[in-house]
Amino acid sequence: IIEGDGGLTIRIPIEPYDQYIVNSIQIEGNTLYPSSLLGAQIPLQVNGIAASDKIREGRSRIRDYYNNRGYSQTRVSERILLTAEQNQIDIIYTVNEGQVATVRDVLIRGNTRTKDPVIRRELLVFPGDTLNEVMARKSAARLQNLGFFQSANYTLLPTDDLGVYDVEFEVQEGRSGQFLAGMGYSSEDKLVGFIELSQGNFDLTDPPGFTGGGQKLKTRLQLGTERQDIDISYVRPWFLNQRLTLSVSGFQNDSQFLSDDYDQKNTGFSLGLRRAISNRWRGGVTYRLEEIEVYNVEEDASEIIQIVEGESVRSGLEFTLSRDTRNDIWIPTRGGRIILNTGFTGGILGFDESIYEVGARTSYFYPIVFDHTLNLQGWVRSVDFYGDSDRVPIFDRLFLGGSRTIRGFDFRDVSPVDESGDPIGGQTSIFASAEYTIPLTDMFRYAMFYDWGVVNSDSFDPDIEN
């Protein structure tokens, strides 16, 4: 620390350690599985950099290999030996092989509010099964990810019988209800305030408390100078005791920020079902019925806006297929997400508009150094009309621009225009973005980004030179 005029200068010298190379990797103590098979689990290579986190990960992966095959209580340790060669090391993993164990009972502790079935349906270990500690850890993680437990852990309890264990899951109830209120300002929404009331551990069938069922209920009221919204949503996992998620929502969204030439009000409801196809893939279908009112249309507005002035009713189905490998849904730093969707309105579903849409979206996060993250994302969408319809209405057309797409452009400013130069949207949009973020606090990050996109007038038009 160096004292100066009006303050202090703090200098922290950093002296980096030498970089070491892996000379050899050895495994000892294993009798059940060959070293070549166990060595394939280790994320290190001979003549590669001896990263300490990879060495520890190798230990965990060998242990998990045994645990996945029922050998509970397997322990793995590592020794690091310097070689005669400068900056080279030998890594020796020592395996203390456990024994095949069986689950006698699965116990639940600590749930003072959440009902036992809500917890048990998330577990991947069952009485009578071969004990698999990897599945026990995944079960605890699934309980933690429900969002209404402060903590979820498991313990193996020996019984009087050798090789037989009880698995005890202990949870600590957290806050499941929330009341939020706030105000904000953005270039798109202008001044806006909101009130939100939610219960993340709701139970529709258990009055008067209505808690403990693992369901979700949320009501949000948002009022501002450019929008007035009310949304009510209900989500029920394990619908009909199947791995189905039922979602129901009702809404009224009155938006004055979409255009200077008109305002739009959407009122309706949606009903959806989503199912896990595998550990990562999800499939879903959603029905949506809504009335769309286009009002306050300016006299000099484009013809494509004037012809939809008034009220119309739209009935539609949307189908989605998604894969999510992100390590965190709020601030991800690793993994990615893919969403494929298609849908249609009108036709056999009746009412006023017959439109169909297809789209694909992807986003991947790559850890760099010091918790810096690179995010690459992009999407492509296209809409078109069919049947009795002869156009894609303004509320189904595609735009880019604004804080949620191409930053630096005004909201919906990237678009085909009419004779007066006003944006009227297109029928194909392509977007790509690269964003590099640096953490400032746990919830805030500094971002540098590059956005690119194009909106074309015709459907299924991949031209990127417009």
Side-chain angles (χ1 to χ4, degrees):
I1 300 176
I2 303 173
E3 295 188 7
D5 294 335
L8 299 175
T9 299
I10 300 175
R11 295 180 180 176
I12 303 175
I14 298 176
E15 185 174 340
Y17 288 102
D18 294 334
Q19 187 177 73
Y20 285 86
I21 304 299
V22 177
N23 179 63
S24 69
I25 301 174
Q26 303 172 46
I27 301 175
E28 59 183 29
N30 53 306
T31 61
L32 297 169
Y33 302 105
S35 297
S36 59
L37 189 58
L38 298 178
Q41 313 305 314
I42 302 171
L44 289 168
Q45 293 182 346
V46 174
N47 297 323
I49 297 174
S52 59
D53 59 334
K54 299 296 184 183
I55 295 174
R56 292 191 298 269
E57 186 178 348
R59 177 184 63 200
S60 298
R61 288 190 179 185
I62 294 174
R63 184 193 64 222
D64 288 350
Y65 189 86
Y66 278 87
N67 291 164
N68 264 324
R69 287 151 182 81
Y71 289 91
S72 176
Q73 304 296 306
T74 295
R75 297 294 176 259
V76 183
S77 60
E78 74 274 357
R79 303 197 314 274
I80 300 174
L81 305 177
L82 293 173
T83 68
E85 298 292 332
Q86 185 178 11
N87 294 344
Q88 291 194 9
I89 63 171
D90 293 327
I91 304 173
I92 303 174
Y93 290 97
T94 301
V95 181
N96 182 7
E97 295 176 327
Q99 60 180 350
V100 175
T102 304
V103 179
R104 185 184 72 173
D105 200 359
V106 177
L107 309 175
I108 308 295
R109 297 283 186 269
N111 54 318
T112 58
R113 185 167 56 245
T114 305
K115 298 174 175 62
D116 264 26
V118 174
I119 296 175
R120 291 189 181 277
R121 69 195 185 191
E122 300 295 333
L123 303 183
L124 302 172
V125 292
F126 306 96
D129 281 0
T130 299
L131 177 57
N132 187 326
E133 283 197 67
V134 174
M135 291 297 104
R137 286 200 299 273
K138 287 184 178 180
S139 298
R142 288 173 63 148
L143 294 177
Q144 186 73 54
N145 289 337
L146 290 176
F148 43 79
F149 293 127
Q150 287 188 24
S151 63
N153 301 287
Y154 79 94
T155 304
L156 302 183
L157 304 177
T159 67
D160 294 336
D161 297 324
L162 183 64
V164 179
Y165 291 83
D166 290 337
V167 183
E168 180 182 84
F169 289 90
E170 184 173 4
V171 299
Q172 182 180 359
E173 299 276 7
R175 293 182 179 178
S176 56
Q178 284 189 327
F179 175 79
L180 302 175
M183 295 187 65
Y185 182 89
S186 73
S187 58
E188 298 168 13
D189 302 332
K190 307 305 181 188
L191 183 65
V192 63
F194 74 91
I195 297 174
E196 180 177 300
L197 181 64
S198 65
Q199 173 55 260
N201 195 4
F202 184 71
D203 191 343
L204 185 62
T205 62
D206 190 15
F210 293 104
T211 59
Q215 304 158 24
K216 295 177 174 60
L217 180 69
K218 182 172 73 173
T219 301
R220 182 181 178 94
L221 175 65
Q222 189 165 248
L223 299 175
T225 56
E226 295 290 324
R227 67 185 307 162
Q228 298 84 43
D229 304 321
I230 182 169
D231 296 273
I232 303 174
S233 64
Y234 168 76
V235 178
R236 180 167 187 159
W238 291 89
F239 182 57
L240 301 177
N241 292 321
Q242 302 292 320
R243 294 191 66 85
L244 283 172
T245 299
L246 170 71
S247 59
V248 182
S249 68
F251 56 88
Q252 183 176 87
N253 308 129
D254 196 349
S255 307
Q256 295 90 48
F257 63 90
L258 297 176
S259 171
D260 293 333
D261 292 329
Y262 71 97
D263 298 328
Q264 180 177 315
K265 181 189 292 184
N266 294 50
T267 306
F269 76 92
S270 68
L271 179 67
L273 285 174
R274 185 165 55 92
R275 184 180 180 89
I277 301 173
S278 67
N279 287 338
R280 298 294 189 182
W281 287 94
R282 301 288 186 272
V285 57
T286 301
Y287 174 75
R288 185 180 178 104
L289 178 65
E290 62 184 325
E291 179 189 79
I292 302 174
E293 180 185 1
V294 176
Y295 66 101
N296 287 345
V297 177
E298 296 292 335
E299 292 184 0
D300 59 349
S302 173
E303 180 184 0
I304 199 170
I305 298 173
Q306 293 187 16
I307 57 179
V308 296
E309 184 176 8
E311 299 174 353
S312 60
V313 179
R314 182 169 59 175
S315 174
L317 280 171
E318 181 181 26
F319 304 89
T320 60
L321 182 64
S322 63
R323 182 176 188 269
D324 197 341
T325 60
R326 294 173 298 172
N327 62 337
D328 189 293
I329 63 173
W330 303 112
I331 305 181
T333 59
R334 185 188 303 270
R337 191 181 188 195
I338 300 172
I339 301 176
L340 308 174
N341 71 283
T342 185
F344 69 95
T345 65
I348 60 174
L349 300 178
F351 296 100
D352 298 327
E353 304 293 341
S354 295
I355 307 296
Y356 69 94
E357 176 180 347
V358 293
R361 179 169 188 160
T362 184
S363 179
Y364 275 87
F365 297 84
Y366 302 91
I368 308 300
V369 293
F370 306 119
D371 293 329
H372 295 201
T373 303
L374 175 64
N375 174 216
L376 302 178
Q377 65 170 313
W379 75 67
V380 58
R381 296 174 62 192
S382 192
V383 296
D384 204 354
F385 57 87
Y386 72 99
D388 295 334
S389 293
D390 58 2
R391 68 191 182 282
V392 176
I394 188 67
F395 41 76
D396 281 315
R397 298 178 73 85
L398 306 177
F399 299 81
L400 291 175
S403 61
R404 296 177 179 87
T405 57
I406 303 181
R407 290 159 285 192
F409 285 82
D410 289 338
F411 179 61
R412 302 180 82 174
D413 207 37
V414 179
S415 160
V417 297
D418 62 9
E419 296 81 0
S420 302
D422 295 325
I424 56 172
Q427 295 180 211
T428 299
S429 67
I430 305 171
F431 171 76
S433 175
E435 182 175 86
Y436 190 92
T437 62
I438 302 170
L440 300 178
T441 69
D442 289 341
M443 296 300 295
F444 291 93
R445 301 179 72 91
Y446 174 78
M448 297 173 286
F449 58 85
Y450 178 81
D451 298 332
W452 171 90
V454 62
V455 180
N456 294 328
S457 298
D458 298 326
S459 59
F460 304 101
D461 180 2
D463 187 3
I464 62 174
E465 297 181 358
N466 288 341

